[in-house]
Amino acid sequence: MPELKLDSDVQYLKGVGPRRAAALGLAGIKTVDDLLHYLPRRYLDRSMIVPIGSLQANMQATIIGMVLGKGILKGRRQRLEVVIGDDSGYIALIWFAGYRYLEGYFKKGDLFSVTGTVTYFQQRQIVHPEVERIEDEAAQLIHTGRIVPVYPSTAGLKKAGITGRILRQMVSRALDAVEAGIPDFLPDSYLTEHCLKTLSRAMRLIHYPEKMDDAEAARRRLAFDELLELQFLILSSRKQRNKASKSHAYVKPGGKVRQFLNKLSFKLTEDQEKSARKIFADLQSDRPMHRLLQGDVGCGKTVVALLTAVYAAENGLQTALMAPTELLAEQHYRNWVEPLREIGIEAALMTGSLTKAERRRLDDAAAAGEIDIVLGTHAVISESVRFKNLGLVVIDEQHRFGVMQRGRLIGKGMHPDTLVMTATPIPRTLALTLYGDLDISSIKTMPPGRQPSKAVWRTGAARQEIYEFLRERLKSGEQIFIVYPLVEKSEKLDLQAAEDAYIQLKEQVFPEFKVGLVHGRVKREKREEIIKAFQKRELDILTATTVIEVGIDIPAASIMVIEHAERFGLSQLHQLRGRVGRGGKRGLTIAVALPPVSDLAKRRLDMFQASSDGFKIAEADLQLRGPGEFFGTRQHGLPELKVANLAVDADLLPAAREVIVNLLSGKRAPDNDDSMLLKFLEGRLIGRRTMTRFG
Ligand code: ADP
Ligand code: MG
């Protein structure tokens, strides 16, 4: 048998063979190295396990025992009793609820790990403990009193008979066989500098930590490797892109750009001007632009994007601007189609609600180059849409789109310049990971005359008071937005709730005022009509679902009420607040939380009330939600990380980046260490199936 190496096929590992290797392969484990990278989901700390015989009342303990018997006992209170035991004694586990399901879960002879508090009532017992079935294994392993890894399983693995115990055996054998020969592609100097374990030590400890701290130290090392890979991916793709050159060229900005600026009823802010200058320079370069424009809601990103589109049109190039909702695309169109037409630039609206005939006409016009700027939703990436000469791609609220969608739009041109915009700032600590391959421009100041809006939160108990307050403000001529949550999962219910509330407001609460309702299910013409009516002050109150969250701009409204505020994330609340108080009056947002309001929701709302700085909010959001949820929502378009946890490992990120920047800089001749690292990273890059770079 050949000597086992890291890159050996797992089937050569003792106890594996072709059948199990096939099942492992389906779970992504092809080589010994893959197996070692199949990391424990968690650990069972068996060093803390108490023999059942020594349990005493009031003790909080973890035990492991075998099911000896079970039964549903009728008595004063019906209950399920399961008796489990080990060599030292036995104890009863009791459930008063949910036991019909549980009863089937316990089979005589099965092993369970049980955690709970011991009580004494005629006998020693644990009521409603936490239990977990553990696969049958040698009692000896169980009582070794060590920390034991628990691996994630899949149906395929189970089917091939690869139980947790067998996985443990495999990993343990693999470690024994190759551990000594695991080379470290990171030079010692880095390890010392960032307090990292060597790779072979980390591999041992991630599977078999001696204490729980070891597992964490090992994880950090592997997290660093993962971040290195990610940075390599991002920065080398940037390097690649910098080699690509555009087929189009720009001349100096001329008449149309000037005319457009003259048409605006305002002067650009300093930050807007600075961003525009950067963007223009990018356009003039023969490398495709890849820039992120970020800034809080209402800071005026759109006008910068349109100015860019005008510059493109002046150079005979088409622009596609993709927005995440129809409402938003419609708003862009409504606001800009006329001023653009007056300077000889043709804009069109492309959404899913066009009729077939309208759509065909539009597709033809875009392909013929008769349209300079296509403003639209996802519809612009459909197969049928072609451009004669797409030079600029703008993606509004970019975090709402997947990498593939962005890529498809970009693919409709020949290395078009790309501008992505976002009003959801990424915590500074993460901007690099995420946008490492983008240049970033930020608009930090608001247009003049905009007063910082105020936010308060109240519970539903204050509703009457809130209504009276609103009535006074309505009487003095102010307009109010009322927002209801809408999430996909409960869309029907949410829409119903919004409609009910609308009717109640209109008929009972504010019969003397005019109330409107708008949401994504309202037909396009109707929707435009309602929003226009509100803009023209024909409506006093506009109720809406969160469709208005992204980008809708209705300057007149100065007050917003957010219903069910406890259901919103912090960043989302912040986005909403930016919608009011643009008309010179100071904006006010009243967030109304309805019970049950969790502690976490309270902290979110407190933070919302306390700060209006988008970047601070983003940091707090990350901390409050925890990385799982923050990233889980995919709100931020983050690539998937298996080991690294960006909230905990934030300090590793700049370190990893620095390593890669040095490696790719080409400023000095690579030494041995560099070559080894490079070879390793290139190998991983090829092996990586999902590209996570920003298209
Ligand atoms: P966002 O950055 O959220 O996309 P918008 O581009 O929708 O913001 O701009 C918000 C509002 O501010 C719009 O009504 C826009 O016309 C206005 N605006 C943009 N720039 C300026 C400016 N420099 N001075 C005054 N108003 C501006
Ligand atoms: Mg916007």
Side-chain angles (χ1 to χ4, degrees):
M1 187 173 271
E3 190 196 344
L4 210 61
K5 296 213 191 72
L6 270 181
D7 58 359
S8 304
D9 194 316
V10 272
Q11 69 164 306
Y12 300 121
L13 187 67
K14 185 163 168 267
V16 178
R19 209 176 80 84
R20 283 181 174 171
L24 288 170
L26 287 177
I29 305 171
K30 299 205 160 65
T31 64
V32 172
D33 192 36
D34 293 337
L35 180 63
L36 292 183
H37 276 89
Y38 197 70
L39 303 184
R41 181 164 51 90
R42 57 189 194 83
Y43 302 87
L44 270 181
D45 190 350
R46 291 187 180 162
S47 57
M48 305 294 278
I49 287 164
V50 181
I52 294 178
S54 60
L55 290 176
Q56 291 178 7
N58 298 324
M59 230 171 128
Q60 148 95 32
T62 296
I63 53 179
I64 287 184
M66 186 184 281
V67 176
L68 302 175
K70 62 172 178 181
I72 292 186
L73 303 185
K74 306 212 157 56
R76 206 166 44 86
R77 277 180 82 185
Q78 191 158 312
R79 63 189 188 274
L80 168 67
E81 187 169 314
V82 176
V83 177
I84 68 161
D86 64 9
D87 297 344
S88 64
Y90 61 89
I91 188 166
L93 313 177
I94 311 273
W95 283 267
F96 292 108
Y99 48 77
R100 286 206 191 289
Y101 159 77
L102 275 167
E103 193 200 353
Y105 186 57
F106 292 98
K107 298 214 166 53
K108 211 166 162 176
D110 278 359
L111 281 173
F112 281 85
S113 108
V114 177
T115 304
T117 305
V118 181
T119 53
Y120 193 91
F121 184 75
Q122 292 165 357
Q123 60 176 350
R124 285 186 313 164
Q125 59 184 33
I126 304 180
V127 178
H128 292 185
E130 273 180 45
V131 293
E132 182 178 353
R133 200 168 74 80
I134 23 189
E135 282 148 8
D136 177 34
E137 46 193 309
Q140 182 200 3
L141 212 170
I142 291 161
H143 292 298
T144 46
R146 64 168 317 153
I147 300 172
V148 178
V150 179
Y151 295 101
S153 188
T154 66
L157 289 179
K158 280 193 191 124
K159 216 170 134 216
I162 304 177
T163 59
R165 170 165 160 256
I166 290 180
L167 260 174
R168 270 203 284 275
Q169 263 171 14
M170 288 176 182
V171 171
S172 172
R173 276 194 194 126
L175 269 175
D176 290 344
V178 302
E179 188 176 20
I182 298 178
D184 206 324
F185 54 86
L186 274 183
D188 288 345
S189 56
Y190 288 141
L191 299 180
T192 327
E193 188 181 340
H194 304 299
C195 296
L196 299 169
K197 302 262 179 220
T198 63
L199 189 54
S200 73
R201 189 78 190 127
M203 275 304 172
R204 161 70 55 182
L205 292 178
I206 194 91
H207 295 287
Y208 287 100
E210 280 148 27
K211 38 189 193 338
M212 287 313 279
D213 288 354
D214 290 344
E216 174 54 20
R219 192 199 58 79
R220 253 176 88 80
R221 162 62 209 257
L222 300 180
F224 189 74
D225 292 359
E226 190 174 39
L227 294 174
L228 271 184
E229 262 182 65
L230 181 67
Q231 289 301 314
F232 183 69
L233 191 71
I234 289 171
L235 293 171
S236 55
S237 81
R238 179 195 182 112
K239 211 172 157 187
Q240 280 299 320
R241 209 183 39 244
N242 284 343
K243 282 192 209 142
S245 59
K246 303 192 273 216
S247 48
H248 53 267
Y250 279 79
V251 299
K252 286 225 159 347
K256 295 224 156 142
V257 167
R258 209 168 322 117
Q259 282 174 352
F260 181 76
L261 287 171
N262 288 338
K263 280 234 161 293
L264 298 177
S265 56
F266 48 77
K267 228 172 118 316
L268 293 186
T269 64
E270 214 170 288
D271 283 352
Q272 282 174 318
E273 229 177 272
K274 213 159 77 191
S275 308
R277 250 199 305 271
K278 279 271 192 213
I279 293 169
F280 278 31
D282 288 349
L283 296 182
Q284 288 160 16
S285 134
D286 50 4
R287 307 269 170 254
M289 169 172 77
H290 223 63
R291 186 170 287 277
L292 169 76
L293 180 60
Q294 64 174 5
D296 246 328
V297 175
C299 70
K301 297 181 289 294
T302 316
V303 66
V304 175
L306 282 159
L307 183 64
T308 310
V310 168
Y311 187 25
E314 193 172 75
N315 284 276
L317 297 165
Q318 290 172 291
T319 296
L321 187 154
M322 180 161 70
T325 64
E326 281 200 20
L327 272 158
L328 195 52
E330 284 159 14
Q331 172 184 291
H332 288 329
Y333 180 74
R334 199 169 47 234
N335 289 346
W336 298 100
V337 61
E338 275 313 313
L340 287 168
R341 186 165 292 154
E342 285 163 22
I343 60 170
I345 292 178
E346 213 38 54
L349 175 66
M350 186 179 291
T351 67
S353 351
L354 294 183
T355 64
K356 270 214 174 109
E358 282 173 322
R359 185 54 196 272
R360 190 148 346 106
R361 209 171 326 121
L362 200 55
D363 284 351
D364 290 346
E370 290 157 16
I371 294 170
D372 302 297
I373 305 178
V374 175
L375 302 166
T377 55
H378 299 79
V380 300
I381 55 177
S382 23
E383 204 65 54
S384 67
V385 182
R386 295 216 167 70
F387 292 89
K388 182 163 179 234
N389 197 2
L390 181 64
L392 174 67
V393 164
V394 181
I395 294 167
D396 197 7
E397 308 293 347
Q398 66 89 19
H399 59 278
R400 294 289 175 122
F401 295 98
V403 179
M404 295 299 283
Q405 292 170 320
R406 288 189 289 256
R408 273 172 71 185
L409 185 51
I410 291 166
K412 290 185 185 286
M414 273 291 288
H415 298 305
D417 293 296
T418 308
L419 181 67
V420 300
M421 308 199 285
T422 186
T424 305
I426 303 296
R428 240 183 309 275
T429 44
L430 300 184
L432 281 184
T433 340
L434 243 187
Y435 299 132
D437 69 334
L438 296 179
D439 297 309
I440 303 183
S441 290
S442 304
I443 302 181
K444 293 204 167 127
T445 49
M446 288 287 162
R450 203 100 30 95
Q451 304 200 30
S453 82
K454 191 174 154 95
V456 295
W457 79 270
R458 295 281 183 269
T459 63
R463 188 168 297 285
Q464 282 320 311
E465 217 179 295
I466 294 171
Y467 284 156
E468 285 322 304
F469 172 81
L470 295 179
R471 194 181 313 281
E472 288 309 308
R473 302 290 285 254
L474 285 164
K475 274 190 203 152
S476 68
E478 288 188 53
Q479 285 179 288
I480 300 175
F481 252 147
I482 304 185
V483 184
Y484 296 86
L486 179 77
V487 293
E488 250 169 68
K489 258 197 314 213
S490 52
E491 186 179 327
K492 264 204 181 128
L493 280 175
D494 286 345
L495 277 178
Q496 190 59 50
E499 284 190 0
D500 291 349
Y502 158 70
I503 289 168
Q504 207 203 356
L505 284 170
K506 187 179 143 121
E507 292 177 357
Q508 290 166 25
V509 187
F510 297 116
E512 71 269 45
F513 295 106
K514 282 187 230 69
V515 188
L517 170 70
V518 65
H519 54 65
R521 290 282 174 86
V522 177
K523 282 246 178 330
R524 179 162 62 96
E525 291 84 36
K526 183 83 186 150
R527 217 153 61 195
E528 287 206 22
E529 213 174 277
I530 296 169
I531 290 177
K532 271 207 185 114
F534 191 62
Q535 280 170 333
K536 286 195 279 184
R537 302 185 152 266
E538 289 162 9
L539 291 173
D540 303 297
I541 301 175
L542 184 61
T543 52
T545 56
T546 35
V547 286
I548 65 155
E549 175 199 346
V550 272
I552 292 294
D553 183 27
I554 305 177
S558 51
I559 299 180
M560 172 181 297
V561 179
I562 303 174
E563 292 286 351
H564 273 294
E566 79 285 352
R567 285 175 56 184
F568 291 86
L570 189 49
S571 294
Q572 222 182 349
L573 288 169
H574 180 67
Q575 285 238 339
L576 282 169
R577 132 166 80 195
R579 307 269 134 241
V580 292
R582 294 186 177 187
K585 271 209 196 70
R586 181 171 174 154
L588 169 66
T589 303
I590 305 171
V592 185
L594 300 180
V597 186
S598 66
D599 281 349
L600 204 62
K602 277 192 189 124
R603 278 158 62 196
R604 275 202 300 268
L605 290 162
D606 285 342
M607 183 70 202
F608 173 60
Q609 188 165 307
S611 175
S612 60
D613 177 330
F615 284 89
K616 271 196 196 140
I617 292 270
E619 298 276 359
D621 197 16
L622 173 62
Q623 267 161 26
L624 286 180
R625 285 211 249 178
E629 227 186 300
F630 189 83
F631 301 121
T633 58
R634 309 252 326 262
Q635 249 214 67
H636 299 81
L638 273 161
E640 209 183 309
L641 294 169
K642 270 164 54 191
V643 192
N645 172 340
L646 290 174
V648 185
D649 303 322
D651 61 314
L652 292 180
L653 199 57
R657 185 175 173 83
E658 199 189 311
V659 171
I660 300 299
V661 167
N662 284 335
L663 190 70
L664 294 179
S665 72
K667 284 201 188 108
R668 58 190 171 84
D671 57 18
N672 270 346
D673 285 346
D674 290 345
S675 320
M676 185 146 127
L677 183 53
L678 203 57
K679 208 172 128 211
F680 169 80
L681 289 166
E682 274 164 356
R684 300 289 290 194
L685 194 59
I686 294 163
R688 206 176 173 109
R689 256 163 301 172
T690 46
M691 288 285 284
T692 40
R693 68 162 270 249
F694 268 64

